[in-house]
Amino acid sequence: MLGWSQRKQLVLQMKTAAIAMGRLRRAGREPGKELIDILSGVDTCCQSLFNGERHDFYHQIFAGLLQALSRDWQQMTLADRRESSALCQDILDIAIKAMQQEKCRRIILFLPYKASMWDSLESVWMAAEADESCEAYVMPIPYFERKTDYTFGDMHYEGDLFPDDVPILNYQHVSLSEMHPDVIYIHNPYDNGNLATSVAPQYYSAELKKHTDILVYIPYFATSGGMGDGQRSCFAYQNTDYIIVQAESLREFYDPQVDRGRILPLGSPKFDRIVRICRERPDPPDSWKGKMAGKKVLFYNTSLAGMIHNPWAFLKKMEYVFHTFEKHPEACLLWRPHPLLETTFRSMRKDFLPFFHQLKQYYLDSQIGIYDDTPDIDTAIAWSDAYIGDSGTSVTSLFGVAGKPIFIFNNLIHRLPQPDDWRGNLVVTDNLKWMVTGNNDLLWSPKQDGRYALYCSLSEYTSDCYYGRVFETEDYVVVCPANGQDILLVADHRVVRRIPLRDLCSTAGRFAGAWRIGRYIFLIPIRYPAIVRCDIKSGQVDYVSGYDDVIAQETDGAWTVGGSCVWQDKIVIASPTDGRILLIDAATLQVEQLNLDERDENGMMILVPDGEEIWCLPRKGYTIRCWNPCTGTIKVYEDVPEDFHCEHVPLRFECELNPWSSLTVAGNIVYLAPHWGNRFLQLNKETGEFSEWKVPFRATCRTENGYMPVWGCAVFLDREKFYYAPERRIYHFDGKNNQFTEYPMTIDEASRQKMGKGFGRISEWQRYGCLEDAYNTLEDFLKGDLSGKEFSRSAQLEAYSEIAAHIDGTAGAAIHQYICEQLDVKQGGERE
C-alpha cells in the first residue's frame, strides 16, 4: 500500500508526463526520444518511491512500455509511432485515475501547536511511525497570542523547536482536504475559547472534522487524580470522535453532555515520555552542569492557575522562594515557568506583569539557580531530585510517575511560621468542643475551655478539608463531610463507622455545610447533585435531587451556594443567583419552592432565622430582606452608607459582591458582620437606619499571615459566638452591651507534633506528596527535617498507579492500537 506522500508524488509525475505528451501531440511533432524520456521519468519515480525493493504494478507497466518502445521504435511506421504515443497517453490517464483511487496506508496526522506540549502526543506518534500499515506525519500549526481585548495579536510558529528526530511537515504546503488523513490527533481543545491564545482558525476542531475520519483529542496535561472545571466542557469536545483520559476515574469529571462512550481511559503519553526519559537521561545543557554539580536539584514550577487565581500572592511566593534559596547554596533551584505564563500575564493580568519581569531579572542577575526556558520539560524532570511548586498543574503528576518527592506550595505563605499559626488550619463552627482541621484531624476540648488536644485522625488523606461540621449524640460524635463523601461516627478516639454516600460527584467542593434536626443530619451540597438526609439512629440515607440549579451555581468565576438554615423543623435553602427558596420538611422530605422576588438577580448568600422571620443577606448588592414565611411579608432594607463597598478577594478591585457573612439580633439592633464589606454596620429594625458598628477589629480581608488565609472578614457562629478570621480568634459577644470577650485557643505540644503529616496521600485529586504548612516549611524540606512520615517512593508509585492506565510507559501504543481498530470498523473492515 502506498503512503499519502508517495501517491501524491507519483500522481504529480504522471500528470506532468501526460501534459508533456499532450503538448507534443498538439504541436504535431513526431514523438521519438522525448516520449521515451517522459516515460522513463515516470518509471524512475516509481522505482525511487519503492527503493527498488518491490516491482509495483505501475513500475511493471512503464518498464514494459519503455522496453517495447526502445526495441521497436526504429522499425515502426509513422502511423504506428503515433498510435503508440496515443496508447501511452491513454495508459497514463488510466494510471492516474487508478492511482487516485489506490488504497494507501493509513494517514495519521498529528497537529501540535506548542513544542513544549509535544510530549502529550509523542508516544502515539512513535507507535504510528513504527506501524508499517500507517504513515505518520507531524505538522505543527501556528497560533496567536490574544490582546487584552481578546483579538488576535502576534502569530507564533514553533515547527523549528521540535526534537531533531521528529520529521516536520510544513503546514503551508499541505491541503487537509486533499490529504484527508484517516486520523487527526490534537492536544488543544479550546478552538476560539482560550482567553490567552488561539490556534489558527483553519485548525479549529469543526474544520478538522471535515477532513478526517477520526478526530482524537489527547489532553496536553496530566493530572494527579482530578481535573479543573475549565476542562469539563471545551469547544472541541462536540467535534472529536474520541477523548483520551489517563484513567477510568476521570470520565466523570467531564460535562454530562459529553458522551461517556467517547471518553477512553487509556493513559497519558506524557507519562510514557517521563518513564523513558528518566530511564535514559539525556545530557543536560552545558549551562546547567556547573550550577548542578554536587547539589540537590529542585524543580520549581510556577503554573497558570496559581497566577490567574491570585497574582499578588503568586508573585510574593516567587520572591520568598528566591530569597530562601539564596540562603541555601547547597541546593540548586531549577525554575521553569509555564510556557504561556508571560503571555497570560499580558492578556489577563497585565497590571502585575512589571513585577514579574522585575523578579525574573532579579533571579537571572543574582544567578540563584537555573532558568529553564527550553521547549522540552523532560530533561529538567530527569535531572531534578524533587518537585516544589503549585498543586494545580500536570507537572506534579509527571514527578509522581517518576517516583520523585513532591512538595506542594501554599502560595499565600511568604515567611516562616509563628507558634500560633497552627490555628490557621482549623475549620471553625459553632461547636467549640470539637474542631476539625484542614488536614482531617479531629480536635477536642473536653472542658470546653479552649484547650485542645488531638482526638483522632479522620482519614488517610492528609489535606483538602474532607470534613466540616460536628454534632454530638448520646452515643457518637457525628462528623459531616465537606470534600468527603461519607458521614463519620466517632467514639473512643476512633472512627467506629462510616456511612457512605452514593458516589455521585468526583470533584472537590461536594458540600457547603450541614444542619441537624432531631435524629436527622442534612448535608447542603455545592457540587454534589443532591441534598442528603441521614437518620443517625438507623443509618438510612435519603436523597433529594432535581434542585441543582436552585442551590448552587457557577457565578463570578467560582462555584457558589445559596444560604441555608433550620426554621421550624424545615431546612430552608436559597438560590445564590435569584429569589428562589426551597423549604424541605425534615420528616417527609416534601419540597416547597417559592420565589421571593422574580426580579431578584443577586441571590441570597446567608439566611439567619430570627423567631418567625428569616433574614436574607445578598450575594451581590446591598439589599437586605427580612422575610416571614408564615405571612409571606418581606421587609426591605437597602439604604447603606454611601462609603460602604466591597473589595474582591483575591483580585483586589472594588465590587458589590459578598458584602456580609452573617448577622445577629439584639433587641431592635441587627449587627452585620462583613464578609468582603469595608465596614462593620448595624441596622435599626424599626427605623431602617444603618450606622457604624464600633468594634475593636479592622474590616478587612487582608492579612500578611499566609498560614491564616482570609476569604472573609468575620462571622457569627451563632447568636453569641463571633469569629474574626484575619487573626483566627473567637469571641463571646454580648449584643446588649456591644462587648467582646475572647475565647482562648491552645493546643498541647504532643498533639501539635502529631498534626504534622509529612508525606502521604493528600487527597483524591493529589495522590501523594507533602504540603507546605505550619508544620512543614520550605526550609524544613531543604534541610530534610520534616514532621510526619518520610518520603516513600514505592508508596508514591502505588498511589499513582491508581490514577493512570499503562503507567509502565505503553499508553501511546495502546491508544494507537485502539484508534486503528476503530478506524477499521468505520471504514468497513480490516485493511489488507
Side-chain angles (χ1 to χ4, degrees):
M1 291 182 288
L2 292 175
W4 167 75
S5 59
Q6 295 172 319
R7 182 174 64 175
K8 181 178 179 180
Q9 187 176 345
L10 192 50
V11 167
L12 180 62
Q13 184 70 36
M14 290 180 181
K15 286 183 176 180
T16 302
I19 291 171
M21 291 178 64
R23 188 177 296 117
L24 284 175
R25 294 177 65 187
R26 287 192 298 275
R29 295 165 55 188
E30 178 183 326
K33 183 176 183 301
E34 290 173 296
L35 174 61
I36 293 175
D37 288 344
I38 290 170
L39 294 175
S40 178
V42 176
D43 184 51
T44 300
C45 181
C46 290
Q47 294 185 67
S48 66
L49 288 175
F50 300 107
N51 300 318
E53 296 178 1
R54 56 182 285 191
H55 298 287
D56 185 79
F57 169 74
Y58 300 99
H59 168 54
Q60 294 176 25
I61 290 177
F62 294 115
L65 282 173
L66 281 169
Q67 184 179 2
L69 290 173
S70 299
R71 184 182 67 239
D72 300 332
W73 189 261
Q74 298 301 323
Q75 288 74 37
M76 289 183 184
T77 65
L78 180 59
D80 289 339
R81 291 178 179 179
R82 287 177 174 170
E83 184 178 346
S84 296
S85 178
L87 178 62
C88 289
Q89 180 86 49
D90 291 341
I91 290 174
L92 267 177
D93 291 340
I94 293 171
I96 289 171
K97 291 180 181 178
M99 177 61 65
Q100 290 173 331
Q101 298 173 2
E102 175 89 21
K103 178 184 282 188
C104 65
R105 288 185 288 172
R106 299 183 180 98
I107 302 172
I108 313 294
L109 179 64
F110 297 83
L111 298 182
Y113 78 108
K114 290 289 294 180
S116 59
M117 297 176 182
W118 169 237
D119 60 348
S120 63
L121 300 174
E122 184 187 50
S123 65
V124 185
W125 168 75
M126 294 173 70
E129 181 77 2
D131 188 342
E132 294 184 357
S133 70
C134 296
E135 188 160 327
Y137 296 94
V138 179
M139 190 175 82
I141 57 179
Y143 67 94
F144 296 88
E145 288 187 27
R146 297 276 194 184
K147 298 180 182 178
T148 53
D149 62 356
Y150 304 122
T151 59
F152 285 178
D154 295 337
M155 190 190 85
H156 299 273
Y157 173 71
E158 299 189 0
D160 57 341
L161 299 179
F162 281 72
D164 294 338
D165 63 339
V166 181
I168 296 301
L169 198 61
N170 191 320
Y171 75 96
Q172 295 174 312
H173 302 157
V174 176
S175 165
L176 291 182
S177 60
E178 179 184 321
M179 184 188 208
H180 196 88
D182 296 280
V183 181
I184 293 179
Y185 287 96
I186 60 174
H187 65 190
N188 184 316
Y190 300 114
D191 291 344
N192 195 37
N194 191 328
L195 299 181
T197 60
S198 171
V199 298
Q202 63 265 36
Y203 300 108
Y204 289 169
S205 60
E207 293 299 312
L208 297 178
K209 187 56 186 167
K210 298 175 183 177
H211 307 300
T212 187
D213 290 351
I214 294 181
L215 179 61
V216 183
Y217 163 61
I218 301 180
Y220 59 90
F221 59 88
T223 88
S224 295
M227 199 169 74
D229 283 342
Q231 305 298 324
R232 286 176 60 82
S233 181
C234 296
F235 287 3
Y237 297 168
Q238 61 186 325
N239 299 310
T240 52
D241 294 282
Y242 296 104
I243 299 169
I244 307 299
V245 296
Q246 68 188 53
E248 178 73 31
S249 60
L250 291 180
R251 284 180 188 260
E252 298 311 312
F253 278 87
Y254 286 82
D255 188 277
Q257 295 184 3
V258 181
D259 178 11
R260 294 303 186 258
R262 296 192 292 115
I263 303 175
L264 308 178
L266 296 175
S268 172
K270 295 176 74 71
F271 292 161
D272 292 352
R273 178 75 180 275
I274 289 301
V275 170
R276 187 176 76 254
I277 292 294
C278 288
R279 193 164 47 222
E280 303 171 1
R281 291 196 298 185
D283 289 335
D286 291 339
S287 60
W288 294 11
K289 293 178 181 177
K291 296 178 179 179
M292 291 175 13
K295 298 181 179 180
K296 182 178 181 180
V297 180
L298 289 93
F299 180 108
Y300 177 33
N301 179 41
T302 46
S303 73
L304 293 185
M307 184 277 285
I308 292 172
H309 178 66
N310 192 330
W312 183 248
F314 176 87
L315 293 167
K316 290 287 288 181
K317 187 66 178 187
M318 283 176 52
E319 184 177 47
Y320 172 68
V321 171
F322 294 164
H323 290 330
T324 299
F325 272 83
E326 283 182 305
K327 295 185 293 184
H328 288 274
E330 74 281 4
C332 173
L333 181 64
L334 192 158
W335 178 32
R336 182 183 176 86
H338 190 285
L340 295 177
L341 186 60
E342 289 200 41
T343 299
T344 308
F345 259 120
R346 193 172 296 112
S347 63
M348 300 180 67
R349 298 289 186 265
K350 66 176 182 178
D351 292 344
F352 296 91
L353 185 58
F355 190 20
F356 172 76
H357 283 153
Q358 180 182 343
L359 282 172
K360 176 181 174 182
Q361 198 59 48
Y362 177 81
Y363 180 82
L364 296 173
D365 292 345
S366 302
Q367 297 191 17
I368 296 170
I370 296 168
Y371 181 78
D372 179 18
D373 58 356
T374 62
D376 184 0
I377 191 175
D378 302 311
T379 299
I381 294 177
W383 284 95
S384 295
D385 297 298
Y387 171 96
I388 59 174
D390 296 339
S391 63
T393 166
S394 64
V395 183
T396 56
S397 62
L398 301 181
F399 275 85
V401 299
K404 298 186 178 186
I406 300 168
F407 187 75
I408 301 298
F409 279 165
N410 176 344
N411 278 346
L412 299 174
I413 292 177
H414 311 138
R415 63 162 176 77
L416 294 176
Q418 300 299 314
D420 284 345
D421 286 342
W422 66 275
R423 295 183 301 176
N425 201 29
L426 296 178
V427 180
V428 179
T429 66
D430 59 337
N431 188 343
L432 298 186
K433 181 178 178 180
W434 301 93
M435 284 195 190
V436 173
T437 69
N439 52 12
N440 306 316
D441 285 329
L442 180 63
L443 309 182
W444 74 323
S445 177
K447 297 181 180 180
Q448 301 188 54
D449 56 0
R451 298 181 181 181
Y452 288 91
L454 177 64
Y455 188 80
C456 70
S457 178
L458 301 174
S459 172
E460 66 169 338
Y461 296 124
T462 64
S463 185
D464 270 15
C465 295
Y466 267 71
Y467 301 97
R469 292 204 70 177
V470 179
F471 300 99
E472 274 191 281
T473 69
E474 293 181 358
D475 301 316
Y476 303 109
V477 176
V478 182
V479 184
C480 301
N483 279 332
Q485 208 160 202
D486 54 7
I487 297 171
L488 308 183
L489 303 185
V490 176
D492 299 327
H493 295 275
R494 63 188 179 90
V495 177
V496 296
R497 184 182 176 188
R498 295 180 183 270
I499 302 175
L501 308 181
R502 292 176 186 166
D503 189 2
L504 301 177
C505 178
S506 54
T507 63
R510 287 170 174 142
F511 298 100
W515 299 103
R516 180 183 178 187
I517 300 178
R519 62 193 293 172
Y520 299 119
I521 299 291
F522 282 84
L523 306 180
I524 309 302
I526 303 179
R527 305 299 299 276
Y528 195 82
I531 303 161
V532 177
R533 184 187 72 175
C534 179
D535 185 330
I536 295 301
K537 291 187 176 182
S538 67
Q540 179 178 331
V541 179
D542 296 291
Y543 302 85
V544 179
S545 57
Y547 299 96
D548 298 3
D549 64 320
V550 177
I551 299 170
Q553 295 285 334
E554 189 173 10
T555 58
D556 304 311
W559 275 89
T560 306
V561 63
S564 63
C565 69
V566 174
W567 180 83
Q568 296 188 0
D569 292 333
K570 288 183 172 62
I571 295 292
V572 185
I573 307 176
S575 166
T577 57
D578 55 42
R580 289 177 294 174
I581 290 267
L582 301 179
L583 288 90
I584 305 170
D585 186 278
T588 66
L589 291 183
Q590 181 178 349
V591 180
E592 180 182 5
Q593 181 171 323
L594 306 174
N595 198 332
L596 298 192
D597 187 347
E598 294 182 355
R599 298 166 299 175
D600 181 15
E601 297 180 353
N602 295 326
M604 292 163 277
M605 281 293 291
I606 304 295
L607 301 182
V608 180
D610 179 24
E612 292 187 349
E613 298 175 322
I614 299 177
W615 289 89
C616 307
L617 301 181
R619 175 187 63 85
K620 183 178 181 180
Y622 308 129
T623 299
I624 297 174
R625 294 176 173 86
C626 185
W627 169 48
N628 188 317
C630 297
T631 64
T633 57
I634 300 175
K635 301 173 187 175
V636 177
Y637 305 90
E638 52 189 352
D639 295 327
V640 298
E642 290 184 0
D643 59 351
F644 182 80
H645 64 268
C646 303
E647 183 183 9
H648 189 283
V649 176
L651 299 182
R652 302 190 176 204
F653 61 84
E654 188 174 317
C655 65
E656 294 185 350
L657 294 173
N658 307 318
W660 300 288
S661 64
S662 61
L663 60 81
T664 193
V665 180
N668 286 330
I669 302 301
V670 180
Y671 295 99
L672 293 159
H675 192 63
W676 288 3
N678 68 330
R679 293 176 63 185
F680 286 82
L681 296 180
Q682 62 185 35
L683 166 66
N684 188 305
K685 289 196 304 181
E686 297 300 322
T687 66
E689 181 182 359
F690 288 87
S691 59
E692 182 180 0
W693 173 23
K694 295 183 180 180
V695 296
F697 314 109
R698 191 163 61 97
T700 181
C701 290
R702 300 289 162 218
T703 174
E704 293 301 316
N705 188 348
Y707 298 96
M708 298 183 183
V710 180
W711 302 109
C713 176
V715 63
F716 283 101
L717 303 177
D718 60 22
R719 285 183 173 273
E720 298 179 347
K721 296 190 189 77
F722 178 86
Y723 178 59
Y724 185 61
E727 298 175 2
R728 295 300 196 272
R729 297 186 185 278
I730 299 173
Y731 298 85
H732 174 81
F733 175 63
D734 178 358
K736 291 182 179 181
N737 300 302
N738 190 27
Q739 291 182 346
F740 294 87
T741 304
E742 184 173 358
Y743 176 83
M745 287 191 294
T746 61
I747 188 170
D748 67 80
E749 186 60 26
S751 295
R752 183 178 173 182
Q753 291 298 322
K754 293 177 183 178
M755 290 164 64
K757 299 296 184 179
F759 280 94
R761 292 175 178 254
I762 297 174
S763 70
E764 298 165 66
W765 312 285
Q766 182 69 47
R767 302 306 287 190
Y768 189 90
C770 179
L771 295 173
E772 179 186 26
D773 55 21
Y775 310 101
N776 289 305
T777 68
L778 176 58
E779 289 255 4
D780 295 331
F781 186 60
L782 292 177
K783 295 176 181 177
D785 187 23
L786 295 175
S787 299
K789 292 183 179 180
E790 296 181 353
F791 170 72
S792 168
R793 186 173 189 273
S794 61
Q796 178 166 303
L797 292 176
E798 179 183 355
Y800 273 87
S801 68
E802 299 168 2
I803 51 91
H806 302 288
I807 201 170
D808 58 350
T810 59
I815 293 168
H816 173 68
Q817 179 181 346
Y818 184 89
I819 296 300
C820 285
E821 290 171 354
Q822 300 311 303
L823 184 64
D824 286 336
V825 172
K826 188 165 188 174
Q827 293 181 341
E830 295 283 343
R831 289 174 176 251
E832 296 175 0

